[in-house]
Amino acid sequence: MEAWSRRMFLTALGAGAAHWALGAVPGEGRRRPNVILMLSDDQGSVDVGCYGASDLHTPHLDALAARGVRFTQFYVASTICSPSRGALLTGRYPQRNGLATNAGGGAGLPVGEVTLADAFKDAGYRTAVFGKWHLGMSDEMSPTKRGFDEFFGHKEGCIDNYSHFFYWHGPNRHDLWRNNERVREDGEFFPDLMTREALRFLEEQRDEPFFLYLPYNLPHYPMQAEPEFDALYEDVDQPRRRYAAFVSNLDDRVGRVLDKVDELGLRDDTIIIFLSDNGHSLEERAFFGGGNAGPYRGHKFTLWEGGVRMPCIVSWPGAIPQGEVRDQTATAMDWFPTLARYCGLVLPDRVLDGRDIADVIESGEAPSPHEVVHWMVHDQWAVKKGPWKLVCNVPETRLADTKLPGESLFLANLEDDPGESTNLAATRPEIVAELTALHEQWLLDTQQR
């Protein structure tokens, strides 16, 4: 589709959203687009071939980028799992939606929050989630109470891929569910199970619009890659070898879903989004590393760029550009209002922190809708305005082979120093003051839920 025609189509989407939500089709006679939202787990900032990871085998994700748009300055809302996922599904900062730390016990995404699945379901879409939930264990916080017609997967943060028992701490407990019932599929590789459910769902929904959320549990620990993927990295040193094999295992399962979309003839009618929830892990269970943030400092649990600046790809052949890169600032929260525009969803009557990035997707010259972006996890906080980023109370990290100390207050110009290696706080106090004031105002603002 030529650029002018795409612009006409997107304009029609915006103008005709309400009619489309009721079944009429605007623009060029297209059906309402399906949406597949894929989320990886603890995947490093550059750990896809198309992002420069020359040592990784990710042919399916690379092919997805070749048929879509790839972002280079894409941010998630948190450096840990649950707040990042909650922000993605609500379009709201964790501090605004009420889930600012990992879900567990009775904690989770508050019941009053409206999710993407709620909006899609209200618009007549069939909705499903297969994979890792991690937004609350209680019945009222379960996926089928949050807008999803179907759920298969685990509710807590991580499981053993074969026994499906919770893999972290405390007493052993089985965590595999179909809707609200525990199920047993002992010995079956969990990524195969969620892929099986996804392929079945696609087959059943081939003639009706759907929203399919696939939050993978890869490459999160326990790293249990299948032998064929281990074999790809026989000459790679640990811990990169284990991690790389699991990334390729993820890529393969993504490829199976993409192949099914093609087999059903749905590629041109399906918006496919892929992103990571946060940076790679250095935890003991992850063998103290293996992931790669490339030129960026940091990892999971930190608000340095390597903790929150993630790979993100969107593909919708014929409707958006293909094989292009966008350098503008965008966030995971933006997918809610952007998909609302593309699919004719009614936005919830509440403050959204995400912004419609359809114009950015269409053109590398379009301005980012984000002048300022914020983060806060426990006692760490950060704020970015233009090229300037101020981080507070962040731990020491490594940048390549150099160990850098933690800082109580660190200011970087990301255009000049994307690795956040030189602290400019002492030489630019006026920028520190401006960004600190923005952070304090944001704290007050996000109390308005």
Side-chain angles (χ1 to χ4, degrees):
M1 186 184 295
E2 298 297 332
W4 68 269
S5 184
R6 285 199 302 267
R7 286 194 295 271
M8 290 178 63
F9 176 53
L10 295 176
T11 299
L13 289 186
H19 295 292
W20 203 351
L22 297 174
V25 181
E28 301 178 350
R30 284 175 171 263
R31 58 180 276 175
R32 288 190 293 171
N34 310 306
V35 175
I36 302 176
L37 176 58
M38 300 178 171
L39 185 68
S40 64
D41 200 354
D42 291 7
Q43 185 172 3
S45 301
V46 299
D47 279 329
V48 188
C50 60
Y51 277 85
S54 59
D55 62 335
L56 292 182
H57 183 73
T58 57
H60 302 292
L61 288 172
D62 296 342
L64 185 67
R67 299 192 68 181
V69 170
R70 174 172 66 86
F71 295 88
T72 63
Q73 198 171 177
F74 187 91
Y75 292 100
V76 292
S78 180
T79 189
I80 55 178
C81 293
S82 296
S84 179
R85 293 156 190 267
L88 171 66
L89 289 183
T90 63
R92 288 151 62 85
Y93 279 118
Q95 287 67 30
R96 196 187 302 278
N97 69 30
L99 183 59
T101 190
N102 273 336
L109 186 67
V111 173
E113 288 297 309
V114 178
T115 71
L116 258 175
D118 288 320
F120 274 108
K121 189 170 183 176
D122 287 347
Y125 279 67
R126 182 75 178 177
T127 60
V129 50
F130 306 127
K132 170 180 171 176
W133 180 238
H134 208 193
L135 292 176
M137 285 290 294
S138 69
D139 178 68
E140 64 181 3
M141 294 178 179
S142 65
T144 54
K145 297 292 181 64
R146 311 314 298 268
F148 290 100
D149 295 307
E150 298 184 41
F151 167 57
F152 180 89
H154 60 102
K155 290 186 178 182
E156 297 204 58
C158 52
I159 58 170
D160 177 86
N161 284 287
Y162 292 94
S163 69
H164 315 132
F165 272 71
F166 181 51
Y167 183 90
W168 199 47
H169 65 72
N172 292 335
R173 54 190 184 274
H174 190 259
D175 187 20
L176 185 64
W177 301 77
R178 181 178 297 280
N179 299 326
N180 292 319
E181 300 293 329
R182 291 184 186 270
V183 294
R184 293 269 184 176
E185 300 216 30
D186 297 355
E188 298 296 328
F189 190 47
F190 179 73
D192 281 344
L193 296 178
M194 62 174 290
T195 302
R196 176 196 70 194
E197 296 299 315
L199 301 188
R200 185 263 311 161
F201 179 82
L202 291 173
E203 184 73 43
E204 292 176 356
Q205 291 300 127
R206 63 191 303 172
D207 296 323
E208 299 294 335
F210 59 80
F211 170 57
L212 174 58
Y213 175 42
L214 294 176
Y216 292 92
N217 66 328
L218 297 82
H220 194 289
Y221 55 78
M223 294 179 184
Q224 298 168 302
E226 295 171 298
E228 65 187 280
F229 302 105
D230 275 327
L232 294 174
Y233 301 98
E234 290 179 347
D235 298 327
V236 177
D237 292 338
Q238 300 290 14
R240 181 67 168 174
R241 177 179 175 179
R242 291 187 184 92
Y243 172 88
F246 223 24
V247 170
S248 288
N249 218 150
L250 164 68
D251 180 82
D252 178 80
R253 294 318 187 265
V254 168
R256 295 185 188 188
V257 174
L258 299 181
D259 287 347
K260 188 65 173 180
V261 173
D262 287 338
E263 174 192 323
L264 296 173
L266 295 176
R267 181 60 77 97
D268 287 353
D269 298 310
T270 304
I271 302 166
I272 301 172
I273 301 165
F274 175 90
L275 69 155
S276 175
D277 65 344
N278 49 250
H280 64 286
S281 173
L282 299 188
E283 296 164 86
E284 179 181 11
R285 297 172 189 83
F287 301 98
F288 303 103
N292 187 6
Y296 310 120
R297 180 180 181 179
H299 46 79
K300 182 181 181 180
F301 297 120
T302 76
L303 293 180
W304 304 112
E305 291 289 279
V308 293
R309 187 167 176 160
M310 295 295 107
C312 182
I313 300 165
V314 58
S315 176
W316 187 12
I320 66 172
Q322 298 189 57
E324 297 191 13
V325 177
R326 297 290 179 261
D327 299 321
Q328 300 99 311
T329 297
T331 80
M333 296 177 292
D334 298 335
W335 288 121
F336 200 135
T338 305
L339 291 174
R341 176 177 177 179
Y342 285 157
C343 303
L345 311 182
V346 176
L347 291 174
D349 183 19
R350 60 191 60 206
V351 175
L352 291 185
D353 298 299
R355 299 290 181 264
D356 181 351
I357 55 171
D359 290 343
V360 170
I361 292 170
E362 178 62 25
S363 171
E365 303 302 317
S368 167
H370 295 282
E371 182 183 13
V372 181
V373 182
H374 297 268
W375 299 269
M376 188 171 185
V377 178
H378 305 308
D379 65 338
Q380 297 182 58
W381 60 266
V383 56
K384 176 183 177 294
K385 180 180 180 182
W388 294 103
K389 182 181 172 190
L390 181 68
V391 293
C392 184
N393 301 326
V394 282
E396 70 176 22
T397 51
R398 287 186 177 274
L399 180 61
D401 296 325
T402 303
K403 189 173 184 178
L404 300 174
E407 299 280 354
S408 59
L409 205 62
F410 188 103
L411 177 69
N413 185 309
L414 295 177
E415 287 183 357
D416 301 331
D417 182 22
E420 297 169 287
S421 62
T422 302
N423 191 352
L424 302 177
T427 60
R428 299 301 302 267
E430 76 283 5
I431 301 296
V432 171
E434 178 186 5
L435 298 186
T436 300
L438 287 172
H439 168 70
E440 292 172 350
Q441 182 58 48
W442 173 78
L443 284 178
L444 294 174
D445 178 61
T446 53
Q447 301 307 308
Q448 302 175 29
R449 297 181 178 177

